[in-house]
Amino acid sequence: MDNVGTARVKEAEAHSDMPMPVVLLTGFGAFPGAPSNPSAGIIRLLAGAPTARLARLGIRLERHVLPVVFAAAPQRLAILIESLRPSAVLHIGLAGRRRSLCVETRACNFVSQLHPDARRQTPVSRSITPGGVPARAARVPSQRLVHALRAAGARSQISIDAGSYVCNQTLYLTLGTETALAGFIHVPRPRGRRPPGMSKMPPPPTLAGMARAVEAALIVLATELRRNR
Ligand code: PCA
């Protein structure tokens, strides 16, 4: 967390006898086909004022970027969840061929062995957790998130397909923890970075626009946490 955010969290905690609930927000690094990942850019943009605004709503935002590596991402995730004990986890990742921000509603116990990760490795097994349940439902108010993303100016929709790559793996594993609220938003490539052939589609939001929308999603989660306290 940066200085402004840290100062605000300390100030808010000083006025209460309870530590503030932590919301863990993760993005992803580069991977084959995505030399720069907008989800990591969104994580950077949510430093400072947005973190301070969320602290005023009673949550401590922790922002981290996970590697797009089948073997390493679960380890990083486990360490973060173990050390931060977040009340809510929101992952964001790039879905380069989508046009809108997609609120994922489930993760499947499946990864494809066709697409190598950032270390050029593919998973050893097609099951994320051998013998695990076939699918897990996201634990976020999905429809309210879609409305909040739209109200913040970003096209958004529900998705039932988180893919079969590191994002789906990450969501599946997080949903296997006891974290009360856990979800995933896939973001499109920001305006100006679309691959050729997609130019007839309506323009996607800018990176800053997507960061504003993700902040709106975090406000929904903060409200939900407050309601459940
Ligand atoms: N998108 C990939 C992995 C990391 C990311 O940002 C996915 O959808 O699985």
Side-chain angles (χ1 to χ4, degrees), residues 185-196:
I185 299 175
H186 261 126
V187 302
R189 288 178 201 273
R191 191 176 301 173
R193 292 221 203 125
R194 305 232 90 192

Side-chain angles (χ1 to χ4, degrees), residues 68-79:
V68 186
V69 176
F70 287 107
Q75 288 173 6
R76 281 286 301 281
L77 182 65
I79 291 169

Side-chain angles (χ1 to χ4, degrees), residues 28-29 31 37 39 68 92-95 162 165-168 184 186:
F28 284 97
F31 61 96
N37 192 326
S39 67
V68 186
I92 54 174
L94 169 67
Y165 193 48
V166 180
C167 289
N168 174 67
F184 200 110
H186 261 126

Side-chain angles (χ1 to χ4, degrees), residues 85-101:
R85 304 238 166 236
S87 303
V89 176
L90 182 64
H91 302 293
I92 54 174
L94 169 67
R97 303 207 69 79
R98 302 223 184 139
R99 311 170 193 201
S100 57
L101 276 76

Side-chain angles (χ1 to χ4, degrees), residues 25-26 38-39 42-43 46 50 54 61 90-93 101 145 148-149 152 154 185-187 207-221:
L25 176 71
T26 72
S39 67
I42 293 170
I43 295 289
L46 290 177
L54 290 161
L61 181 66
L90 182 64
H91 302 293
I92 54 174
L101 276 76
L145 288 181
L149 295 167
I185 299 175
H186 261 126
V187 302
L207 192 68
M210 292 201 278
R212 279 193 297 277
V214 171
E215 184 183 346
L218 291 166
I219 291 170
V220 169
L221 297 186

